[in-house]
Amino acid sequence: MSYAHVIAGSRYVFPDLRTLLARATPFRSGDALAGIAAETAAERVAAQMALADLPLRDILNQPVVPYEDDEVTRLILDTHDPAAFAPIASMTVGAFRDFLLAADSDTLTRLRPGLTPEVVAAVSKIMKLQDLIAVAARCRVVTRFRNTIGLPGRLAVRLQPNHPTDDPRGVAASTLDGLLLGAGDAVIGVNPATDSVEATVTLLEMLDAVRDRYAIPTQTCVLSHVTTTLRAIERGAPVDLVFQSIGGTEAANRGFGVSLSLLAEARDAALSLHRGTIGDNVMYFETGQGSALSSDTHHGVDQQTIEARAYAVARAFHPLLVNTVVGFIGPEYLYDGKQITRAGLEDHFCGKLLGLPMGVDVCYTNHAEADQDDMDGLLTLLGVAGVTYVMGVPGADDVMLSYQSTSFHDALYLRAALGLKPAPEFEAWLESVGRPGGIGPDRIPAAMAPGLIGIA
């Protein structure tokens, strides 16, 4: 089925839904690199107008990646709830935008099972930044393991104590720094420099000893490949969360070395450990616009729609945390601060609307046309939009991954500026050690005087 729209006397024709979605996407370098972006601003506006008039049913009936070729497509369509979709079934994409802007939190929650990634991606393409923020702020997604993530008025922080050689003492030092500044309620999560089982187990045991010794109501994670984590579980390692990077097509996930069945196996293994005290959300996923394009597994679909499809994969496994590493992949996919800002707000909106506990790594690489001012702006906008959590990196400069993110102090700024608090159980722990909200005397609390580094 083709689509057309006339603008300024010129008629623009889009041969299929995949093309229409790509041409309607606000410009980004990745789609241009793939050769699917609109060639002119006029063509983009024509595509957005045609998209606004498109019935939502048409999107359901035209998978952008064929059903028979892709297990992610099969997951999306086989789990779609027609009853939940019924209230919006007769709407166009434009009417759906108007509906979302007027909907309350309960309505948005009831709608989730009826939404597909392509539907939420489509509507995001015709929304302004303030629209994305306003709707996402009303999406409530709460998850639990050892604390409660996503409650209104709360902002969690992933404490990211990476080290270039996985030195446990270096990781412990950064962990102490973050804890004293109120970070770590989302997770204390280390990206390992290697993917060896031995290094993973060593870091898991050290982080768990820290958590246990100081009775910290949080969860820990070493962000190894899922197969490495499974082997660590077999060795008896204290695994709280299973981490994995995921994509929006079967081929993209194959490039990550995973499948839906492997993710299900890993979730079952983590659940069998019964380590959660107040909940059983045991998965942690990361995504990023451009990952499928970088591995040539995007099927000609624009990178933002493929990103939204990754959220369907995440949703199937009831994760504790999901985050888009929005500027990490580089300027080939998101060229500058403007593109990174738009992408971050789109990703957050799409993830929250689909029912995910959505965080954003507000970040950029040093060869992108972006700087910390851009990140300050995006961080603040995400705070207003109700982002579930952000990253806490010592000095905002990750010494292992070599990119720029947000610091422990950035999270303190956002909490203070918007009146946000840590997860409630973690907030109570901070108060118990004399660091309410992560702010307190310039000394290590007496309760932690023996020192974290000695544990390592």
Side-chain angles (χ1 to χ4, degrees), residues 327-359:
F328 180 74
I329 302 180
E332 299 87 354
Y333 308 100
L334 295 170
Y335 180 73
D336 57 17
K338 181 180 178 67
Q339 291 184 24
I340 292 171
T341 296
R342 171 84 198 186
L345 292 170
E346 286 171 347
D347 293 351
H348 178 253
F349 162 85
C350 289
K352 291 290 281 292
L353 196 57
L354 288 167
L356 292 179
M358 202 70 194

Side-chain angles (χ1 to χ4, degrees), residues 43 158 166 202 213 215 224 249 253 339 391:
E43 183 185 20
R158 171 189 160 190
D166 290 340
T202 296
R213 179 170 182 172
S224 300
T249 68
N253 284 324
Q339 291 184 24
M391 305 300 118

Side-chain angles (χ1 to χ4, degrees), residues 144-146 204 219-222 226 228-234 236-244 261-277 279-285 317-320:
R144 295 176 174 87
F145 189 75
R146 287 198 190 90
L204 282 168
Q219 36 283 330
T220 64
C221 183
V222 175
V226 63
T228 303
T229 303
L230 279 169
R231 291 168 66 191
I233 291 174
E234 291 171 357
V239 173
D240 289 344
L241 306 182
V242 173
F243 167 82
Q244 184 56 48
S261 60
L262 178 59
L263 294 176
E265 178 188 349
R267 180 173 183 266
D268 288 344
L271 287 171
S272 73
L273 301 179
H274 301 289
R275 291 180 57 81
T277 56
D280 62 359
N281 298 116
V282 296
M283 302 299 284
Y284 174 14
F285 294 114
F317 298 98
H318 310 289
L320 180 77

Side-chain angles (χ1 to χ4, degrees), residues 180-201:
L180 293 179
L181 290 168
D185 48 344
V187 64
I188 304 173
V190 179
N191 296 92
T194 67
D195 204 42
S196 75
V197 179
E198 291 73 18
T200 295
V201 171

